[in-house]
Amino acid sequence: MSTSSSIESIAAESVQSADSEPERAVEETADERTEDAERAEEREEAEETPGADEGNRPPLRSRRWVRWTGLATTAAVVVASLSAAVVFGWKLKEDRDVDSAADQAREAARQYAVTLTSVNSDHLDQDFTAVLNGATGEFKNMYSQSSAQLRQLLADNKATAHGTVVDAGIKSATKNRVEVLLFIDQTVTNTVTPDPRVDRSRVVMTMQRVGGRWLADKVDLP
């Protein structure tokens, strides 16, 4: 082989090598881009789908929703409990207020029953004034209208009477109006029957709260 042939062969190989270098570079760049795209897709799938090393936990958005739902449920339970406590407390206070009113009205009725059934012909004005002072409404109007005739009857017969409450109980009650059932023994003397006579009666007295006082609004003999 001549020297010129060798030179030509080397030159041809150099040209072929030079031509193949860009092709390999292009192929390597395309492969790298493909690998980068595959890795990006894998990262997206990893973000959307939990990995095995995460214990199959739900996605972050789902976990936040569960947490907020739990907080909302807890808050609703707390609000409901507070509302029930307020209602129960209000009802308990109402019951206590009614019970207190019933006790006060019953005691006032017992005292007024003694005033109403006790009389002495020697001081009728004082007795009648006390009766009217403890009355209101319907009963006060009725007693005022009949007091003149009753006063005259008691004075003419020199009557005396003394009432004693044997027992008393509550028929119905609100904070301002209470029905009281009373059992009364009344000892009576007059010119016709000078020996004491005991009359037993049952009275339903309706007490009304007026200006902080318990007054008799109705007196019935059932």
Side-chain angles (χ1 to χ4, degrees), residues 180-202:
V180 184
L181 176 63
L182 303 115
F183 296 89
I184 303 170
D185 285 353
Q186 186 182 37
T187 303
V188 180
T189 62
N190 52 50
T191 55
V192 178
T193 56
D195 295 332
R197 183 186 77 250
V198 177
D199 293 333
R200 290 183 170 87
S201 57
R202 185 176 63 174

Side-chain angles (χ1 to χ4, degrees), residues 1-211:
M1 177 180 296
S2 64
T3 303
S4 61
S5 296
S6 298
I7 294 172
E8 290 175 356
S9 177
I10 293 171
E13 290 178 358
S14 297
V15 170
Q16 290 177 356
S17 176
D19 290 340
S20 63
E21 284 299 327
E23 292 179 356
R24 285 197 297 270
V26 170
E27 292 177 355
E28 290 177 357
T29 302
D31 291 340
E32 290 177 356
R33 289 177 180 176
T34 301
E35 291 177 358
D36 289 344
E38 290 177 352
R39 282 196 295 269
E41 290 179 357
E42 290 177 357
R43 283 197 299 271
E44 290 179 358
E45 291 178 356
E47 290 177 355
E48 295 178 356
T49 305
D53 58 345
E54 292 181 348
N56 293 327
R57 291 186 302 170
L60 179 59
R61 179 179 300 176
S62 178
R63 295 200 300 273
R64 287 178 178 174
W65 172 254
V66 171
R67 183 164 62 251
W68 280 111
T69 302
L71 292 175
T73 302
T74 301
V77 171
V78 171
V79 170
S81 300
L82 290 176
S83 299
V86 169
V87 171
F88 178 77
W90 175 83
K91 185 65 170 63
L92 182 62
K93 182 181 183 303
E94 283 288 304
D95 292 342
R96 288 178 176 175
D97 289 345
V98 171
D99 290 343
S100 177
D103 291 340
Q104 295 172 17
R106 178 172 52 194
E107 183 59 30
R110 292 179 69 102
Q111 295 177 10
Y112 188 69
V114 172
T115 299
L116 184 62
T117 57
S118 299
V119 65
N120 191 313
S121 57
D122 292 335
H123 44 73
L124 291 175
D125 290 343
Q126 179 180 340
D127 294 339
F128 275 69
T129 299
V131 170
L132 291 173
N133 187 50
T136 188
E138 179 182 331
F139 182 68
K140 186 171 186 177
N141 293 334
M142 188 260 310
Y143 194 84
S144 298
Q145 293 172 7
S146 61
S147 61
Q149 183 179 355
L150 180 59
R151 185 198 303 266
Q152 188 61 48
L153 181 63
L154 294 173
D156 291 345
N157 289 277
K158 298 187 182 303
T160 62
H162 180 73
T164 302
V165 176
V166 178
D167 199 6
I170 304 299
K171 285 195 65 178
S172 65
T174 65
K175 289 192 293 184
N176 295 309
R177 192 172 181 84
V178 180
E179 281 187 308
V180 184
L181 176 63
L182 303 115
F183 296 89
I184 303 170
D185 285 353
Q186 186 182 37
T187 303
V188 180
T189 62
N190 52 50
T191 55
V192 178
T193 56
D195 295 332
R197 183 186 77 250
V198 177
D199 293 333
R200 290 183 170 87
S201 57
R202 185 176 63 174
V203 176
V204 176
M205 192 175 295
T206 302
M207 306 299 291
Q208 181 75 35
R209 192 199 297 268
V210 180

